[in-house]
């Protein structure tokens, strides 16, 4: 006669079952990240086959940065210890250990930013910061907070910004946010779309040599000998180059989504961008100055003013044109 299992024997199986469930959840998470990476690499390979990313030798043939384009610093010595990229996606690694494919900035020194603004001042035509998001090279959110403008809000611009009166209940003062954000940006290569708008809202000047504005991605993808001055919106670039739909909801833009998309676009053309950057003329003296968060007077010049404010086309609604 086989003895029946008592409650104790059933209970002893629970820890092992919980462990299996945790391992299964972790395996699914790694598999999901692996699929995302495979889609990204497949799109990049397609652009290379079409000749849009053939400005330099295939970066995938060697995961190490070329000596001629290598930048001074710790990346010159530690790059050789990186694990080669697994194109098949068979390993359950997340996208963080992915080796660099160019001689660009070290991933830890590269962030993407996006800001959402509201309208203050007469008729709400002055743009002030109301939300700021910063993501890492791998898309991890480093900062995402709502910010209380220095002047009373006249127009929330919810259609574009996604900001409402309720968001301001948990917002932090601008001075506090500015200090926190600039600490993250200092010494980093900053990626974004139409970055001059974001820096203006932050009342900040970042070294030009350390900015990567994705409005210039179309010019990087042009065939040699062709030139374009057309600046495509972030939404269109994401759809055409990443097969990704953004800014599709009725609740305004997401600064986290926009910053992550800008970083994905940068990574798509990173090798070409950094080689062009390395081969360009030395930075001008003003580009070598340290970061400045107090040089606000520069933004009183017309070139830094929003187009709707400079042209006076805003009317009584205070609704700006969609900059993306």
């Amino acid at each position: 006669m086989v003895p029946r299992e008592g409650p104790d024997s059933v209970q002893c199986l629970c820890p092992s079952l919980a462990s299996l469930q945790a391992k299964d959840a972790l395996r699914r998470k790694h598999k999901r990240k692996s699929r995302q990476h495979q889609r990204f690499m497949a799109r990049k390979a397609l652009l290379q086959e079409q000749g849009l990313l053939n400005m330099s030798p295939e970066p995938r043939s060697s995961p190490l940065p070329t000596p001629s384009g290598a930048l001074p610093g710790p990346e010159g010595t530690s790059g050789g210890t990186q694990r080669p990229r697994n194109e098949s996606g068979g390993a359950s690694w997340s996208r963080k250990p992915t080796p660099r494919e160019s001689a660009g900035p070290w991933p830890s020194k590269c962030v993407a930013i996006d800001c959402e603004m509201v309208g203050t001042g007469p008729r709400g035509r002055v743009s002030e910061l109301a939300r700021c998001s910063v993501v890492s090279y791998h898309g991890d959110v480093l900062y995402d907070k709502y910010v209380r403008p220095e002047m009373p809000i006249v127009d929330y611009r919810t259609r574009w910004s996604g900001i409402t009166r309720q968001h301001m209940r948990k917002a932090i003062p601008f001075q506090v946010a500015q200090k926190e954000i600039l600490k993250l940006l200092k010494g980093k290569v900053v990626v974004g779309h139409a970055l001059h708008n974001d820096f203006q809202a932050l009342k900040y000047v970042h070294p030009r040599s350390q900015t990567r504005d994705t409005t210039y991605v179309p010019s990087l993808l042009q065939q040699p000998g062709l030139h374009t001055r057309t600046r495509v919106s972030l939404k269109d670039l994401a759809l055409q180059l990443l097969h990704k739909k953004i800014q599709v909801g009725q609740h305004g833009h997401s600064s986290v989504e926009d910053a992550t998309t800008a970083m994905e676009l940068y990574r798509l053309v990173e090798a070409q961008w950094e080689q062009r950057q390395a081969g360009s003329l030395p930075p001008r003296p003003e580009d070598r100055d340290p970061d400045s968060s107090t040089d606000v007077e520069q933004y009183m010049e017309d070139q830094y003013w929003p187009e709707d404010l400079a042209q006076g086309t805003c009317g009584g609604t205070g609704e700006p044109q969609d900059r993306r």
Side-chain angles (χ1 to χ4, degrees), residues 1-19:
M1 180 175 179
V2 179
R4 296 181 59 185
E5 296 181 351
D8 295 339
S9 62
V10 176
Q11 291 178 359
C12 69
L13 295 177
C14 292
S16 60
L17 180 61
S19 177

Side-chain angles (χ1 to χ4, degrees), residues 184-200:
L184 286 173
L185 302 187
K186 187 173 179 63
K188 304 289 179 62
V189 169
V190 180
V191 178
H193 198 80
L195 277 170
H196 62 280
N197 291 320
D198 301 314
F199 291 153
Q200 178 181 349

Side-chain angles (χ1 to χ4, degrees), residues 99-275:
R100 293 186 307 157
E101 297 185 354
S102 72
W106 199 244
S108 62
K109 294 293 184 181
C110 190
V111 297
I113 188 173
D114 187 78
C115 298
E116 300 299 341
M117 277 72 81
V118 294
T120 64
R123 297 183 179 180
R125 292 187 292 180
V126 178
S127 296
E128 286 201 54
L129 182 67
R131 183 186 179 185
C132 181
S133 301
V134 180
V135 302
S136 71
Y137 181 87
H138 303 288
D140 301 315
V141 179
L142 304 177
Y143 189 91
D144 182 32
K145 292 184 180 181
Y146 291 97
V147 183
R148 188 182 309 114
E150 295 179 299
M151 294 192 296
I153 299 176
V154 177
D155 185 359
Y156 283 90
R157 303 178 182 175
T158 306
R159 177 181 172 186
W160 297 278
S161 68
I163 306 295
T164 63
R165 186 185 302 273
Q166 185 175 0
H167 291 135
M168 291 297 103
R169 296 177 181 175
K170 54 183 178 181
I172 61 176
F174 172 78
Q175 297 293 341
V176 176
Q178 184 191 49
K179 184 177 180 180
E180 295 175 346
I181 297 165
L182 300 194
K183 185 176 180 180
L184 286 173
L185 302 187
K186 187 173 179 63
K188 304 289 179 62
V189 169
V190 180
V191 178
H193 198 80
L195 277 170
H196 62 280
N197 291 320
D198 301 314
F199 291 153
Q200 178 181 349
L202 287 168
K203 299 181 180 179
Y204 170 69
V205 179
H206 197 71
R208 191 173 304 172
S209 60
Q210 291 183 288
T211 60
R212 304 291 184 269
D213 195 324
T214 54
T215 56
Y216 298 102
V217 165
S219 64
L220 286 166
L221 294 175
Q222 287 293 316
Q223 295 291 343
L226 296 180
H227 301 281
T228 178
R229 292 186 178 181
T230 304
R231 294 191 177 185
V232 188
S233 69
L234 183 64
K235 182 177 182 178
D236 290 340
L237 283 175
L239 184 61
Q240 295 173 14
L241 300 179
L242 302 173
H243 288 174
K244 175 181 178 180
K245 292 183 179 181
I246 63 172
Q247 303 173 358
V248 293
Q250 299 296 324
H251 303 290
H253 299 178
S254 166
S255 51
V256 171
E257 180 183 57
D258 289 353
T260 303
T261 302
M263 181 60 81
E264 290 177 0
L265 287 170
Y266 166 74
R267 291 177 59 187
L268 191 66
V269 295
E270 181 181 359
Q272 289 72 30
W273 204 329
E274 296 306 328
Q275 287 188 5

